[in-house]
Amino acid sequence: IANADQKDADRDGHGDVCDKDFCYVVSDAQTCLDPNAAFAVNAGGNRAVRTGQRVPLLIWANRQNMGIQYEWILVNKPEGSHAVIKHPVGSVTLSTPFNYHYKKGRRVELVPDLPGDYTVELRAKLAFADQKYPDKRDASARVVLKAKGSPVDLGGGCSAAGGSSAGLGLVLLLGLGLLRRRK
């Protein structure tokens, strides 16, 4: 019997009273996180984003509030892209319930600068041996960000349009010097 008030702690669409298996759903039921299985992580489902958008890269794990060391790697990006991952290496310990929180000022982000696919890999390692599976401390997951929109200048490349204000100032000073010299 459908019951909208029933709690669904694993977010699979089946209320806890009727759900015999707990497997926390991040983006789809096929890639859920089972707390009774060996250490596993999830980087969220593939998603559409906009060029120039700050995209947080999130960590989910099938363990709660455990020390996890992480590394995010940009495996693939559109040709000519200068996008990089901000704060790609670090550690987390606090989760709600299976979504881990970055330390203040250390949120991991990617800003796509060109339209196309950005494949990002999360490599994670438990800081301490797991009680259930002590030999399984490493896990990884991938996510594909499909960026759409106009190319965005992230300030890392060369530009033929415009110029630096310092260069323009130097040209003006030289021009004034030549004018003073003629007088």
Side-chain angles (χ1 to χ4, degrees):
I1 298 173
N3 179 355
D5 295 332
Q6 189 178 135
K7 188 176 177 185
D8 181 17
D10 63 358
R11 305 177 350 159
D12 66 354
H14 302 287
D16 292 349
V17 173
C18 304
D19 199 353
K20 62 180 169 81
D21 296 319
F22 184 94
C23 195
Y24 189 79
V25 175
V26 175
S27 57
D28 61 75
Q30 286 73 35
T31 57
C32 64
L33 295 168
D34 182 354
N36 295 312
F39 176 59
V41 292
N42 189 307
N46 298 341
R47 56 188 187 234
V49 298
R50 304 277 316 152
T51 55
Q53 174 186 353
R54 290 189 181 284
V55 180
L57 300 176
L58 304 176
I59 299 173
W60 283 272
N62 64 341
R63 301 291 184 268
Q64 293 180 329
N65 300 314
M66 296 195 57
I68 298 174
Q69 299 165 335
Y70 63 81
E71 179 180 13
W72 288 94
I73 298 165
L74 189 51
V75 176
N76 187 39
K77 61 185 177 181
E79 186 176 332
S81 172
H82 297 288
V84 295
I85 297 172
K86 181 179 178 184
H87 307 300
V89 178
S91 63
V92 289
T93 55
L94 178 65
S95 68
T96 313
F98 296 96
N99 178 214
Y100 276 79
H101 304 279
Y102 294 112
K103 295 173 185 167
K104 187 174 181 168
R106 299 289 301 169
R107 184 170 96 161
V108 179
E109 298 176 333
L110 174 70
V111 180
D113 58 346
L114 295 175
D117 291 354
Y118 294 78
T119 303
V120 186
E121 182 174 11
L122 166 62
R123 293 182 185 167
K125 181 177 185 129
L126 287 172
F128 303 99
D130 187 49
Q131 291 179 348
K132 293 180 183 182
Y133 299 90
D135 295 334
K136 177 71 167 93
R137 292 177 58 188
D138 297 306
S140 64
R142 284 189 174 193
V143 62
V144 177
L145 305 173
K146 297 178 177 295
K148 292 185 179 181
S150 300
V152 176
D153 182 13
L154 298 179
C158 299
S159 175
S164 74
S165 57
L168 181 58
L170 183 59
V171 169
L172 287 174
L173 282 174
L174 288 173
L176 285 174
L178 287 173
L179 283 175
R180 291 184 100 194
R181 202 172 207 194
R182 287 186 173 173
K183 290 183 180 182

